[in-house]
Amino acid sequence: MRYLFACMLSLFAPSGWAAHGYALWGDMKYSPGFTQFSYVNASAPKGGELRLVSNSRVSTFDKYNPFTIKGSAPAYLSNLMFDTLLAGALDETAAGYGLLAEDVAVASDGMSATFRLRPQARFHNGDPVLAKDVKHSFDTLTGPFASPGYRSAFEEVAVADVLDALTVRFRFKRPNRELPLTVGGLPVFSHLWGVDKGVAKPFDQIVMDIPIGSGPYKIGPVNFGKDITYVRDPAYWAQNLNVRRGTANFDRITVKIYKDNTARLEALKAGEFDLMRFFSAGDWARRVNGRKFDSGELVKAEFQHRLPTGFQSYVFNTRRPKLQDVRVRQALGLALDFEWMSRQMFYGAYQRVQGLFGNTACQAHGLPSAQELALLKPWAKQVPAAVFGPVAVSPRTDGSSSVRENLRQAQALLKEAGWIYRDGALRNAANAVLELEYLDSNEAGARVVTPWARNLEKIGVKLVFRPVDFALYQQRLQKFEFDITSLAYQGTHNPGQEFADLFGSKAADQEDSGNHSGIKNPAVDDLILHITGAKTQAELLPACRALDRVIGHSHLLVPQWSAGTHRMAFNAWRLNHPDPMPPYAQGETWAIDTWWAKP
């Protein structure tokens, strides 16, 4: 869940009841009284089954509670079973519309947001969704037994007050344009979940208790280790609501589990499931073929999107002594030859990730502006000097650059940092060898890491590829027991409190937080405060661009690659979909939400 809040709604508004929704910076696309989102088919038939496949990194599941630290919950459970106070549209950014809440008032001083719940909102057990359930959900997720990412996200929320049966008010510690959106994205569950004979279990002991949510689906048949089926609730309270019309069209959604990529691909070709998203350019170019593709039963399609690129990256854990020197981290990044990988491995399908905010207005370019410098100068001693020059860009190996020259620069940086080649290895003054471990949950990841490891070997650095099963991988990430790993961070047009979880000093010491790099820098903390406290876009942009510069020049991440399309293969004989795909849709979740089964 650590990336959940990067996807939360982006909205803030002046005070006033009966607001149908809120926009962060300007007008909303959908006016009061709108009947549906424009990208759905409101006449889509209900019925049939969507058969999906689990993410290749998830080998099984062992709990139904997606909010606690330990264990793995089934794929898609949270989105399918838990409604939120507000819902966003897939064809606009920085806006949200009432789902559980029929209206919301934000105080004129920005110190609170009050939500009025819809009287018709119901949990799966038939109980009404009440203000006390919202408060219970908030208090539980900010308590000691939930994943700490929630506490980070709600850090600036002081308390939730029940004003009456259907009204809940969130009070804030300070004015913050993001906080109404953060609480608007709160997943709401019943206060009776985990209660047995009148006694409530501690939240971390709610493991296999069936969730009591209010979303469009419930848990159906389950074959542990093989698959889980979600069944559509025919009495779903919001099925005719404007933000839900034309969605949740399948009667059943089955998620099948396969142990490795080869098994998944062969199962797709055999027709064992209906849709699969592809992240491997090699698979997409060379192995997505066969009889069912030739007949037209299975179709390959690339759906263009306008999502932020995100910052999928190799992550250095600076808690490790060998990775605490920025010169060492920069040297390691210089050894990655993306241009060679693009030609030889990726079929030219990807572009290099550029900073934290690629493909958004927040992305930094060139030299810092006067506004950025005003934010950075007070922290001149706490940030790399390079922050005051051009924005950090990834090294290239084409044109006037070459991998040989990059490796020379890397050797010089390592020497400056005290790493000298002697006795057959690169060693520091303590005679420690510069050997690092790359942690992965997929043995196939070695193919992509090997070219980087070969280049590192040329400058005396040994990178050991360490594949482990997903459960152990997840545990080691939670406890920050790794040197280097690869993580896919989702991008956002409207950065906010989630960056305190990703890069904040407090999160660095919280197990299972999103701060995998371990950065603890007061300058970063201050810039995140400026981001979350911005009242206008003119205040936001310099702060996020300054943050982009500091993280880039700190060399905590080695940027990887991104694609401008969602590559999906699907069964065209069984499935239909609206056209075109909305610009801000997230791959297979678009299919889950808006596609339908052919009669």
Side-chain angles (χ1 to χ4, degrees):
M1 63 68 50
R2 58 179 62 90
Y3 309 120
L4 171 66
F5 294 96
C7 304
M8 278 187 168
L9 307 173
S10 298
L11 44 118
F12 189 86
S15 176
W17 284 104
H20 76 294
Y22 291 88
L24 184 59
W25 306 121
D27 295 335
M28 306 185 74
K29 177 173 181 176
Y30 296 97
S31 302
F34 77 98
T35 58
Q36 65 181 75
F37 291 136
S38 61
Y39 52 83
V40 304
N41 176 9
S43 301
K46 304 292 185 184
E49 181 179 19
L50 174 63
R51 301 172 302 168
L52 298 170
V53 63
S54 70
N55 185 293
S56 62
R57 303 182 85 169
V58 179
S59 58
T60 187
F61 56 89
D62 54 14
K63 65 175 183 175
Y64 291 141
N65 186 343
F67 307 117
T68 51
I69 297 176
K70 295 181 179 179
S72 299
Y76 312 117
L77 183 147
S78 184
N79 288 339
L80 293 175
M81 298 192 68
F82 298 99
D83 279 337
T84 52
L85 295 169
L86 302 165
L90 300 179
D91 56 352
E92 67 177 329
T93 64
Y97 303 86
L99 178 52
L100 286 172
E102 63 182 6
D103 57 45
V104 53
V106 178
S108 57
D109 61 3
M111 291 295 290
S112 68
T114 304
F115 294 83
R116 180 72 180 176
L117 300 177
R118 297 183 188 272
Q120 69 269 35
R122 290 291 184 274
F123 287 114
H124 295 145
N125 63 359
D127 290 346
V129 180
L130 301 176
K132 66 180 179 181
D133 297 301
V134 178
K135 176 177 172 57
H136 171 76
S137 301
F138 172 79
D139 291 345
T140 300
L141 293 179
T142 55
F145 301 124
S147 186
Y150 291 100
R151 291 195 293 279
S152 294
F154 295 120
E155 175 70 25
E156 296 296 325
V157 183
V159 69
D161 299 317
V162 173
L163 303 186
D164 62 42
L166 294 178
T167 309
V168 60
R169 179 181 62 198
F170 293 90
R171 286 186 280 146
F172 308 142
K173 297 177 182 177
R174 64 185 181 90
N176 181 329
R177 66 176 178 86
E178 187 199 12
L179 292 179
L181 71 90
T182 303
V183 294
L186 174 75
V188 177
F189 43 84
S190 171
H191 69 282
L192 296 178
W193 185 25
V195 174
D196 183 21
K197 298 179 180 179
V199 179
K201 298 179 183 178
F203 195 58
D204 62 343
Q205 294 179 26
I206 300 175
V207 179
M208 300 308 296
D209 303 64
I210 301 299
I212 306 177
S214 61
Y217 287 88
K218 303 178 181 180
I219 293 175
V222 175
N223 293 316
F224 279 94
K226 294 184 178 180
D227 58 64
I228 181 172
T229 297
Y230 302 98
V231 295
R232 186 169 61 86
D233 181 2
Y236 176 48
W237 71 273
Q239 58 187 313
N240 294 316
L241 201 64
N242 52 8
V243 296
R244 289 300 201 201
R245 189 169 287 120
T247 69
N249 299 316
F250 298 99
D251 279 349
R252 299 175 305 282
I253 297 174
T254 296
V255 184
K256 300 190 174 186
I257 297 172
Y258 295 87
K259 298 299 184 182
D260 58 64
N261 288 337
T262 301
R264 294 166 75 236
L265 182 55
E266 292 307 312
L268 172 70
K269 294 179 180 181
E272 294 183 16
F273 53 90
D274 303 317
L275 183 143
M276 179 173 169
R277 186 176 172 192
F278 284 83
F279 298 92
S280 167
D283 282 346
W284 187 251
R286 298 172 52 197
R287 289 176 282 278
V288 184
N289 51 40
R291 178 175 53 84
K292 291 184 182 293
F293 286 97
D294 295 338
S295 70
E297 179 179 355
L298 293 177
V299 172
K300 293 173 63 174
E302 295 195 46
F303 297 95
Q304 194 77 33
H305 65 73
R306 298 208 307 269
L307 292 168
T309 60
F311 45 107
Q312 178 173 314
S313 306
Y314 294 113
V315 182
F316 297 131
N317 183 2
T318 61
R319 301 171 185 84
R320 304 295 213 201
K322 295 177 183 178
L323 292 169
Q324 289 175 355
D325 193 310
V326 66
R327 294 167 295 187
V328 172
R329 302 193 299 269
Q330 183 178 0
L332 298 175
L334 281 162
L336 183 70
D337 188 349
F338 170 77
E339 284 69 35
W340 181 91
M341 296 169 73
S342 180
R343 292 191 307 270
Q344 301 297 324
M345 302 174 67
F346 300 155
Y347 302 87
Y350 299 119
Q351 302 80 44
R352 192 81 188 262
V353 166
Q354 299 295 333
L356 302 182
F357 305 114
N359 203 31
T360 75
C362 287
Q363 183 177 357
H365 297 279
L367 294 170
S369 66
Q371 294 89 343
E372 292 169 55
L373 288 172
L375 294 171
L376 291 167
K377 283 181 177 178
W379 302 103
K381 294 182 179 179
Q382 283 79 27
V383 299
V387 162
F388 297 95
V391 68
V393 295
S394 298
R396 302 185 63 89
T397 58
D398 56 2
S400 60
S401 302
S402 68
V403 66
R404 181 174 296 179
E405 177 57 32
N406 289 347
L407 293 179
R408 285 199 193 101
Q409 293 180 39
Q411 283 179 314
L413 286 166
L414 291 170
K415 186 175 181 179
E416 286 180 22
W419 292 93
I420 308 297
Y421 194 85
R422 64 177 183 273
D423 299 329
L426 202 62
R427 301 174 184 271
N428 62 10
N431 208 38
V433 175
L434 190 48
E435 179 177 318
L436 300 165
E437 180 182 273
Y438 176 85
L439 183 68
D440 203 324
S441 67
N442 189 343
E443 291 188 8
R447 175 177 173 271
V448 176
V449 175
T450 296
W452 187 25
R454 283 200 300 260
N455 285 341
L456 288 171
E457 188 177 8
K458 294 175 183 177
I459 58 174
V461 179
K462 185 175 182 180
L463 184 62
V464 178
F465 181 79
R466 184 76 63 199
V468 297
D469 68 73
F470 182 77
L472 180 57
Y473 173 81
Q474 186 179 48
Q475 182 182 39
R476 288 185 61 176
L477 284 190
Q478 290 169 346
K479 296 180 179 297
F480 309 121
E481 295 174 350
F482 69 94
D483 294 334
I484 306 171
T485 193
S486 173
L487 293 173
Y489 297 94
Q490 290 183 321
T492 175
H493 288 278
N494 301 289
Q497 187 64 27
E498 71 272 13
F499 278 80
D501 182 55
L502 296 174
F503 300 111
S505 296
K506 187 173 181 179
D509 296 324
Q510 293 178 332
E511 183 179 322
D512 196 39
S513 80
N515 189 345
H516 293 96
S517 69
I519 183 174
K520 299 174 72 172
N521 188 316
V524 170
D525 297 335
D526 182 65
L527 291 172
I528 293 171
L529 286 175
H530 278 87
I531 288 172
T532 57
K535 294 180 174 61
T536 66
Q537 195 171 29
E539 293 179 0
L540 170 72
L541 294 180
C544 57
R545 290 169 182 168
L547 178 66
D548 200 4
R549 295 177 188 278
V550 173
I551 297 301
H553 282 297
S554 296
H555 299 284
L556 305 166
L557 312 170
V558 178
Q560 293 182 344
W561 35 88
S562 66
T565 62
H566 297 311
R567 296 185 296 249
M568 295 195 290
F570 64 92
N571 191 317
W573 293 1
R574 288 173 48 87
L575 304 178
N576 210 337
H577 62 81
D579 191 52
M581 184 187 76
Y584 306 111
Q586 294 279 356
E588 65 269 35
T589 58
W590 168 55
I592 292 171
D593 289 343
T594 67
W595 291 27
W596 63 92
K598 288 185 175 180

